[in-house]
Amino acid sequence: MTQTTAQADSPDTRGTSTTPEYAAPDAVPRDASSISLRRLRKSFGADAVALDGVDLDIRPGEFFTLLGPSGCGKTTLLRLLAGLELADDGHVEIGGRDVTEVPPHKRSVNTVFQSYALFTHLSVRDNIAFGLRMRGVGGSERQRRVSEIADFIKLGGLIDRRVDQLSGGQRQRIALARALVCEPDVLLLDEPLSALDAGLRSQLQVELQRIQKRLGMTFVFVTHDQQEAMVMSDRIAVLNDGRIQQIGTPREIYEKPVNRFVASFMGHENLFDIESREGDCIDTAALGRLKVETPPHGELVMIRPEALELGSEVSSEFNRFEGEVREFFYRGSHIEYRLEVNGMRMKALSSNQGQRLFRIGDRVPMCVWPEDLVTLAR
């Protein structure tokens, strides 16, 4: 079977969605499930450590994202939650129950895979009903639940079409409906939007988040796409080399990374060594002395590209310097500049709304406010 299914303890009602409401008859409300991982280790051979002592708590009803580059361990972690892999050490709890050695079909968990794994020769209705049929759910009850979830996912008008006649976005909805119709406590999503074009992907990111909020279900989402993680998530765990580097809200991860890896992975290029510090000031080779809002605690200082003010009207009385424009790129809503400051390259983003356009070779005054400087570990 291509999709992880699990025994549901009882029918379930989640959230207060707009019409149509998706809930089983005579539903017994229950809270969404929490997830707790302790000292989780998994290796594939002596030299391939996929997870190295992971501790993680996911709150009930949370949209939680595992973010990181290829090979960081995020998909392995998802497969351990699904029961598709067994941990070498550690424990997995779902809803307060230790499921470390519980087989996949006995976990109240469903998975939506990157490939969707649909039966292309069958109709939308039969694809959604597959898991219910495997569980022995009767015909009338099965059809009722399939019709309700199809309407909820906006597939009602396509329910008797064959899957091979539908678009990528419609197939993604079918895979989601098939996972939700069995009413799991936790839904796992392994990069389910990665095969879609940019416009459809952006649209479905918002729809998927709305569905999760309506149902109140715990979602665990895997992606390597930073923008996707920030749009959809309540919280994010950034992984690298089998270890969690940082857990936080999208804003915390982007604006306050804890180390060089997280900063670089989130796209921050303006990272400078701190050579010395005194009170609320730090010294750097490229930018000279900088005033920070809080006492520095790391070895690096980071400046977000959108935090740089450009032009002769810069407003901060602190942290002023000058750079030469080496390149610029039109990005629609903003202009991306690549500047050289005392032999170091910097990236700056400037709004495309009524701002002066600088040209290659221009000498540009710049500043950054003390509260926009972030110090972090090397």
Side-chain angles (χ1 to χ4, degrees):
M1 194 160 77
T2 56
Q3 193 173 33
T4 306
T5 57
Q7 298 292 336
D9 297 328
S10 62
D12 188 8
T13 299
R14 297 179 178 89
T16 54
S17 68
T18 57
T19 304
E21 177 83 6
Y22 176 59
D26 303 319
V28 179
R30 69 169 179 246
D31 292 335
S33 285
S34 61
I35 296 172
S36 181
L37 310 178
R38 290 291 175 267
R39 306 182 307 281
L40 209 59
R41 293 184 58 85
K42 179 66 179 178
S43 60
F44 299 95
D47 300 324
V49 178
L51 293 173
D52 188 10
V54 169
D55 290 301
L56 176 62
D57 290 300
I58 298 175
R59 301 162 185 158
E62 188 169 32
F63 197 124
F64 193 93
T65 295
L66 305 172
L67 173 66
S70 298
C72 70
K74 56 187 185 295
T75 296
T76 299
L77 198 158
L78 200 78
R79 291 176 63 83
L80 289 171
L81 283 172
L84 301 175
E85 301 281 355
L86 292 178
D88 299 331
D89 193 17
H91 298 277
V92 178
E93 289 187 3
I94 298 177
R97 177 190 176 204
D98 191 330
V99 298
T100 308
E101 298 184 4
V102 174
H105 66 281
K106 292 187 177 180
R107 301 187 186 196
S108 188
V109 170
N110 264 9
T111 305
V112 179
F113 295 102
Q114 183 175 353
S115 64
Y116 307 153
L118 300 174
F119 302 107
T120 56
H121 63 289
L122 297 180
S123 68
V124 172
R125 183 189 304 275
D126 289 338
N127 268 274
I128 297 174
F130 180 78
L132 296 175
R133 185 178 291 111
M134 292 298 99
R135 296 182 181 199
V137 176
S140 59
E141 170 66 6
R142 184 171 67 243
Q143 293 306 320
R144 185 195 64 76
R145 288 169 66 174
V146 168
S147 295
E148 285 188 354
I149 191 62
D151 287 340
F152 184 79
I153 304 295
K154 301 179 182 178
L155 288 169
L158 304 171
I159 197 164
D160 292 314
R161 296 273 294 275
R162 279 173 44 137
V163 168
D164 58 8
Q165 299 173 334
L166 303 180
S167 68
Q170 291 165 337
R171 293 186 186 196
Q172 192 271 345
R173 287 191 178 94
I174 297 167
L176 182 61
R178 186 176 64 177
L180 292 173
V181 76
C182 293
E183 300 172 355
D185 292 327
V186 174
L187 187 66
L188 309 177
L189 302 107
D190 188 7
E191 303 206 50
L193 308 181
S194 60
L196 304 176
D197 64 74
L200 181 58
R201 186 172 182 171
S202 178
Q203 175 188 342
L204 289 178
Q205 287 169 4
V206 175
E207 287 192 21
L208 191 58
Q209 185 196 47
R210 288 173 178 167
I211 288 168
Q212 188 269 338
K213 296 307 177 191
R214 289 174 187 171
L215 295 176
M217 189 183 295
T218 305
F219 275 27
V220 183
F221 189 89
V222 162
T223 185
H224 63 274
D225 187 301
Q226 300 90 336
Q227 293 298 320
E228 186 167 84
M230 288 192 289
V231 166
M232 302 174 72
S233 311
D234 295 317
R235 286 192 303 152
I236 299 168
V238 181
L239 283 83
N240 188 43
D241 292 336
R243 297 182 179 182
I244 293 176
Q245 302 293 311
Q246 184 175 357
I247 299 173
T249 65
R251 185 168 185 173
E252 288 168 345
I253 296 293
Y254 180 77
E255 295 187 6
K256 304 289 184 182
V258 297
N259 59 33
R260 180 190 286 274
F261 172 81
V262 176
S264 297
F265 188 74
M266 296 307 294
H268 296 304
E269 302 176 23
N270 301 331
L271 300 169
F272 304 98
D273 289 322
I274 298 174
E275 298 190 333
S276 63
R277 65 197 74 202
E278 181 180 350
D280 59 357
C281 290
I282 57 176
D283 289 303
T284 66
L287 307 179
R289 173 157 286 206
L290 300 173
K291 181 180 175 61
V292 296
E293 186 178 44
T294 58
H297 60 274
E299 300 84 35
L300 298 171
V301 61
M302 181 192 85
I303 304 174
R304 301 194 318 276
E306 68 275 12
L308 281 166
E309 291 187 17
L310 306 182
S312 57
E313 304 82 11
V314 293
S315 54
S316 176
E317 61 181 302
F318 307 105
N319 307 337
R320 292 171 174 263
F321 37 90
E322 188 177 79
E324 182 179 338
V325 177
R326 293 295 190 180
E327 297 175 294
F328 68 90
F329 305 95
Y330 178 76
R331 302 288 190 187
S333 62
H334 62 274
I335 308 294
E336 176 184 324
Y337 293 100
R338 302 285 176 150
L339 305 107
E340 184 172 306
V341 181
N342 296 326
M344 299 287 289
R345 287 297 180 98
M346 294 189 72
K347 175 182 175 181
L349 300 179
S350 181
S351 169
N352 196 28
Q353 183 64 37
Q355 303 294 319
R356 175 188 169 188
L357 176 63
F358 299 102
R359 302 293 182 181
I360 293 175
D362 284 353
R363 300 288 299 177
V364 181
M366 295 187 286
C367 77
V368 59
W369 287 83
E371 57 265 33
D372 290 323
L373 289 172
V374 179
T375 57
L376 57 147
R378 190 180 304 280

